Amino acid sequence: MGNEEPVTKKFKPLETQRLVLRPITLADGPAIHRYMCDPAVTRWLPDGVMDEAQAQAFARKNAGRAAKAVAVVERASGQLIGHMPFHPWFGPATHEVGWVIAAGHQGRGYATEAARALLDYAFGTLRCHRVIATCQPENAASWRVMEKLGMRREAHFRGALHRPTGEWWDEYFYALLADEHAAAPP
Ligand SMILES: CC(C)(COP(=O)(O)OP(=O)(O)OC[C@H]1O[C@@H](n2cnc3c(N)ncnc32)[C@H](O)[C@@H]1OP(=O)(O)O)[C@@H](O)C(=O)NCCC(=O)NCCS
């Protein structure tokens, strides 16, 4: 990861039409567990399903100085429906963004809406030069979000990630530069 301060330390809630992005709190563990215990949600997440203790540890880590993700709350219901990895990445003025949405809330444009807000924040407030995102080629919903955001596919790494199961995963690498975002805001 990069060498800058955790973004979420100074992250103020961002409102979109249907969502609020806010720092994760200690109280979010059970809500995070509800979707992170679902193998369909975690199929392409490197750490796989979370049990209750792992979800609580994730909430604790991300509620603190080492935060690397923010919560996604649906405004209409007040429910926490997912989280967005968002943190400095290798190199100056560079961040990584990602997305996880509970199965019952997928397919409504929420990941794209949340990511658009984070891109605006990254380029507008943090003055990032570059934002990157990665996923597996099989995870079409994820790279579709990247393409809807106007991110460019820069690489297809073959057999790049080694899983505890012994599998080697390919990886797509996408990026967006500040001047590209300014020229065509998402
Ligand atoms: C990836 C994920 C966050 C997308 O969330 P979402 O809120 O459903 O995303 P959006 O609705 O904004 O956009 C999803 C797009 O993918 C498309 N899509 C969904 N499933 C697809 C599939 N199997 N094949 C092709 N496209 C698919 C949708 O149609 C939509 O595109 P469209 O607007 O052009 O129709 C969600 O599927 C998820 O949480 N997956 C599990 C966690 C995960 O894998 N995260 C990414 C790790 S890299």
Side-chain angles (χ1 to χ4, degrees):
M1 298 304 157
N3 49 9
E4 294 162 50
E5 291 211 312
V7 168
T8 44
K9 186 174 162 244
K10 53 197 170 200
F11 189 84
K12 302 275 186 306
L14 294 178
E15 287 198 9
T16 69
Q17 193 187 344
R18 297 175 295 169
L19 306 170
V20 177
L21 309 191
R22 60 149 175 81
I24 289 172
T25 71
L26 277 179
D28 289 332
I32 291 169
H33 178 248
R34 275 196 284 281
Y35 61 86
M36 288 298 289
C37 68
D38 179 350
V41 168
T42 61
R43 171 67 181 94
W44 297 108
L45 301 182
D47 295 330
V49 291
M50 287 183 187
D51 61 22
E52 284 178 39
Q54 288 167 322
Q56 194 53 52
F58 178 86
R60 192 177 314 114
K61 180 179 163 201
N62 285 290
R65 280 187 51 81
K68 288 189 175 161
V70 297
V72 181
V73 174
E74 186 180 46
R75 289 171 65 170
S77 64
Q79 260 186 287
L80 190 157
I81 58 155
H83 65 267
M84 307 286 284
F86 184 64
H87 49 78
W89 203 71
F90 298 101
T94 303
H95 273 62
E96 176 169 16
V97 65
W99 27 77
V100 181
I101 299 290
H105 289 82
Q106 293 176 9
R108 304 183 198 177
Y110 281 162
T112 306
E113 185 171 321
R116 282 190 176 127
L118 285 180
L119 289 181
D120 286 345
Y121 175 73
F123 291 120
T125 303
L126 300 179
R127 314 303 296 171
C128 279
H129 164 67
R130 180 170 156 88
V131 175
I132 71 104
T134 68
C135 71
Q136 280 50 67
E138 296 88 342
N139 196 351
S142 188
W143 57 258
R144 178 75 193 122
V145 171
M146 295 171 199
E147 299 206 339
K148 285 196 288 181
L149 294 169
M151 302 182 86
R152 283 172 292 97
R153 186 182 299 168
E154 294 190 334
H156 178 170
F157 297 114
R158 309 277 177 184
L161 292 182
H162 189 241
R163 309 317 316 148
T165 54
E167 289 174 284
W168 288 92
W169 284 0
D170 283 11
E171 185 154 83
Y172 279 166
F173 191 101
Y174 279 72
L176 187 67
L177 294 172
D179 56 3
E180 295 168 329
H181 179 260

